[in-house]
Amino acid sequence: MAAPGNDNSLPDLPEAKPVQGSRWRMQIVWLVPIVAVLIGGWLAAKAVIEEGPTITISFKTGDGLEAGKTKIKYKDVDIGVVKAVTLSPDHKRVIATGELVKDATSMLVDNTRFWVVRPRISGGTVSGLGTLLSGSFVGMDEGNSTRTRRDFVGLEVPPAIPSDVPGREFVLHSMNMGSLDVGSPVFFRRLQVGQIASYEMDPNGKGVTLRVFVNAPYDRFVRSDTRFWHASGLDVSLSPDGVQINTQSVVSLLIGGVAFESPEADAGSESPEAGADSKFELYATHADSMKEHDQIVDTYVVTFYDSVRGLTVGAPVDFRGVVIGEVTRIYTRFDPVKKQFSIPVEINLYPQRFTSRFQDGKPTGRLSAEPRQLAEFLISSGFRFQLRSGNPLTGQLYVAFDVFPDAPKAKIDWSRTPPELPTVPRTLQSLQDSLTRLLAKLNGIPFDAIGASAQRTLQSANDVMAKLGTDVVPQAHDTLSAAQSTLNSATDALQPDSQLQQNTSDAMRELARTAASVRMLTDYLERHPEAVVQGKPGGKQ
């Protein structure tokens, strides 16, 4: 309806109503920073979620380490980088801080190993040549422990055996290292089947402990009775068959090595396989390793009064060609009562070597349940110990146990520890003693008194013949004159300055010189028994 006074020709307009507007209005321009914030937050969250672990590795030196550049690799795949290199608080070591990828978290366990890979020559192997161009990096070997770890002590040398190589480790103990080193080969029937993994000095300093790794499937040939020995250099032995020279390979001549072998077992009695970390003795030679291991050992002392030059520790104790023991110690002793030196030799005897074996190969043990009574019986029967020459070329001696029917009676001194067994002198020494006794007896004969007595007897006979010359018939005069001449000649011969006396004295002097020469010969042969074969050095053969 038109308002009064308005022109009715104008149309009617709707009434305007106020509408309340929104307080917040989004401008399109704000969408850009919002999206940027969301993307940044997503990237930050992703970085946090995918961030790998941080570890520290302690090294003796920082050689080859460079912050931000030195890579950490596993099987030649980059799994991290060294972020910082600093000194330890005591300034004695270098601490490398590394960041690894997240996938490497499960590999960081207690026995995981790290080392700096650089060019290296050890044990006949060459490694790390690639770092000459690419630079050093930190190598990693995954452990198998279930305990996690983040701080590690780096190795100074790379591990010889990666943890994922199939095989078994064994522990060897030796008196010395010889020419072995980490990486030195291990041989079985002259085939390289493993290598030295590590070694360390025993806490008491009396030996060396080595760990050897034998690759599968050859590790199954290491059994509970397997023998290991040094295969370094040449093994030269002299036997009745001549000189024998053995070696494992040309490599072992240069860098050394270890070989192993199991003794021949009877049918059906093969020993079981040795488990991982089984302990074995490392012998010096193959011959030493294959010696019979005796369960019963008796220790005694045998005392010699002649020279033991040529007798060494380890020399055999022989019973008619069978080795029944060995020499363990040689020393000297002085008797203040007799004012005499002697050479006690300590020996180990193996009673089982006297006994026979059953068909199953087991030794019967001792010959008697009463070893003391048996020993007393043997000694009373004439059994003695004696030094003998084992090799005339080298002058080596051994201790022989044999029966000597003419040996003087003796008893075992059980009061000593170890007990002392009786001995007899060497054959050459016995000959020298016999000659000395003969010379002493010859020197004791009173040749001067015998000559004077003979002279008095002849003078009495001369007086008798003079009386008979005046009383007998003239027909006997010529006979008595002849007898007188004979007696005069005998008297002249027995005079102190006569030819007979001089000849007798010369003969005694020659005999004395002969005995002295024999004594010198026996002394020389005792010191140089090889002269029987080789002759005197520099002289005629």
Side-chain angles (χ1 to χ4, degrees):
M1 176 175 198
N6 290 340
D7 190 357
N8 294 330
S9 60
L10 293 175
D12 294 334
L13 295 174
E15 182 178 0
K17 296 180 179 181
V19 178
Q20 185 175 3
S22 176
R23 294 183 179 181
W24 304 98
R25 291 187 179 181
M26 174 65 67
Q27 300 293 332
I28 296 178
V29 70
W30 290 105
L31 292 177
V32 176
I34 293 175
V35 171
V37 169
L38 292 176
I39 293 175
W42 177 77
L43 292 176
K46 182 180 179 181
V48 172
I49 295 174
E50 295 182 353
E51 183 182 9
T54 300
I55 62 173
T56 58
I57 310 172
S58 172
F59 294 101
K60 285 187 176 180
T61 176
D63 183 25
L65 300 176
E66 189 174 355
K69 293 185 178 181
T70 303
K71 303 292 185 181
I72 301 176
K73 295 185 178 183
Y74 176 70
K75 295 185 179 295
D76 290 332
V77 176
D78 292 346
I79 61 171
V81 66
V82 174
K83 289 296 186 180
V85 179
T86 59
L87 290 175
S88 61
D90 58 1
H91 302 166
K92 293 183 178 181
R93 298 184 66 87
V94 174
I95 306 299
T97 302
E99 292 185 1
L100 277 64
V101 298
K102 185 178 181 180
D103 294 339
T105 303
S106 60
M107 296 189 293
L108 301 177
V109 294
D110 193 58
N111 58 347
T112 297
R113 298 176 290 184
F114 294 89
W115 67 95
V116 178
V117 178
R118 56 175 73 95
R120 192 185 308 273
I121 300 177
S122 176
T125 59
V126 180
S127 61
L129 291 181
T131 59
L132 293 174
L133 300 177
S134 61
S136 301
F137 62 89
V138 177
M140 171 182 168
D141 182 48
E142 182 182 4
N144 54 7
S145 175
T146 57
R147 180 182 175 184
T148 60
R149 189 174 180 178
R150 292 293 183 271
D151 56 321
F152 301 89
V153 177
L155 303 177
E156 297 306 314
V157 296
I161 311 297
S163 59
D164 57 351
V165 175
R168 277 178 284 183
E169 271 194 1
F170 304 100
V171 180
L172 306 182
H173 185 267
S174 175
M175 296 302 296
N176 57 73
M177 276 290 295
S179 56
L180 300 176
D181 196 0
V182 173
S184 295
V186 176
F187 298 97
F188 177 68
R189 302 191 183 279
R190 287 187 168 84
L191 175 67
Q192 184 174 346
V193 298
Q195 55 186 318
I196 304 295
S198 63
Y199 62 87
E200 63 179 355
M201 179 74 70
D202 292 346
N204 58 10
K206 295 184 178 180
V208 180
T209 300
L210 303 95
R211 300 187 70 88
V212 299
F213 186 86
V214 180
N215 301 320
Y218 308 106
D219 56 340
R220 62 188 177 92
F221 297 117
V222 180
R223 303 189 173 276
S224 60
D225 61 347
T226 295
R227 316 287 174 82
F228 289 81
W229 69 90
H230 282 276
S232 309
L234 295 175
D235 184 5
V236 182
S237 61
L238 180 63
S239 67
D241 297 331
V243 179
Q244 297 180 353
I245 301 176
N246 297 316
T247 184
Q248 292 295 321
S249 68
V250 177
V251 176
S252 66
L253 290 175
L254 301 176
I255 63 174
V258 171
F260 68 88
E261 182 181 345
S262 297
E264 293 294 334
D266 297 332
S269 61
E270 191 175 41
S271 59
E273 293 185 19
D277 296 327
S278 297
K279 297 182 179 180
F280 298 90
E281 185 73 18
L282 180 60
Y283 296 91
T285 63
H286 176 262
D288 291 340
S289 67
M290 290 300 157
K291 286 183 179 178
E292 185 177 1
H293 291 182
D294 299 271
Q295 302 297 324
I296 306 175
V297 181
D298 293 337
T299 302
Y300 296 96
V301 168
V302 291
T303 302
F304 298 102
Y305 293 91
D306 44 347
S307 174
V308 296
R309 181 182 178 87
L311 185 68
T312 60
V313 173
V317 178
D318 180 276
F319 174 67
R320 299 180 180 179
V322 178
V323 177
I324 60 172
E326 63 179 350
V327 175
T328 57
R329 294 182 63 190
I330 302 173
Y331 44 94
T332 61
R333 183 169 60 199
F334 179 72
D335 189 342
V337 177
K338 298 181 179 180
K339 307 297 182 182
Q340 186 179 25
F341 282 98
S342 60
I343 310 296
V345 176
E346 195 170 301
I347 61 175
N348 283 344
L349 295 182
Y350 309 118
Q352 289 174 300
R353 301 190 184 185
F354 284 101
T355 60
S356 60
R357 289 179 175 270
F358 292 122
Q359 292 182 356
D360 60 1
K362 296 182 179 179
T364 59
R366 296 182 181 272
L367 285 173
S368 172
E370 299 293 337
R372 284 200 174 190
Q373 295 181 4
L374 176 61
E376 293 284 1
F377 170 76
L378 293 176
I379 297 303
S380 63
S381 301
F383 278 87
R384 299 289 188 273
F385 290 87
Q386 183 187 51
L387 285 176
R388 291 181 182 175
S389 177
N391 192 324
L393 296 178
T394 61
Q396 292 179 335
L397 300 179
Y398 69 94
V399 178
F401 181 62
D402 209 338
V403 61
F404 298 87
D406 299 330
K409 292 184 178 181
K411 292 184 178 181
I412 301 177
D413 188 356
W414 296 106
S415 63
R416 295 183 179 272
T417 303
E420 186 169 344
L421 302 176
T423 63
V424 295
R426 299 175 60 186
T427 303
L428 292 176
Q429 182 68 27
S430 301
L431 176 59
Q432 179 180 341
D433 294 341
S434 299
L435 291 174
T436 302
R437 289 193 295 268
L438 176 59
L439 182 60
K441 291 180 179 180
L442 291 176
N443 290 332
I445 298 176
F447 288 101
D448 293 339
I450 292 174
S453 177
Q455 184 176 0
R456 288 193 298 271
T457 301
L458 291 174
Q459 183 64 39
S460 299
N462 188 32
D463 295 340
V464 172
M465 293 306 295
K467 291 181 179 181
L468 290 175
T470 60
D471 296 337
V472 298
V473 295
Q475 291 82 359
H477 179 73
D478 294 338
T479 304
L480 293 175
S481 297
Q484 180 69 34
S485 299
T486 303
L487 291 175
N488 290 336
S489 299
T491 302
D492 294 338
L494 292 176
Q495 292 299 322
D497 57 348
S498 65
Q499 186 65 32
L500 178 60
Q501 288 283 9
Q502 294 180 359
N503 292 340
T504 302
S505 300
D506 293 342
M508 293 302 301
R509 285 193 293 272
E510 288 296 329
L511 182 58
R513 284 195 292 269
T514 301
S517 299
V518 172
R519 186 186 298 109
M520 293 174 61
L521 174 60
T522 56
D523 291 340
Y524 182 82
L525 291 179
E526 184 176 353
R527 296 192 303 272
H528 305 281
E530 69 276 8
V532 175
V533 178
Q534 298 177 348
K536 187 176 181 181
K540 296 182 180 180
Q541 303 294 326

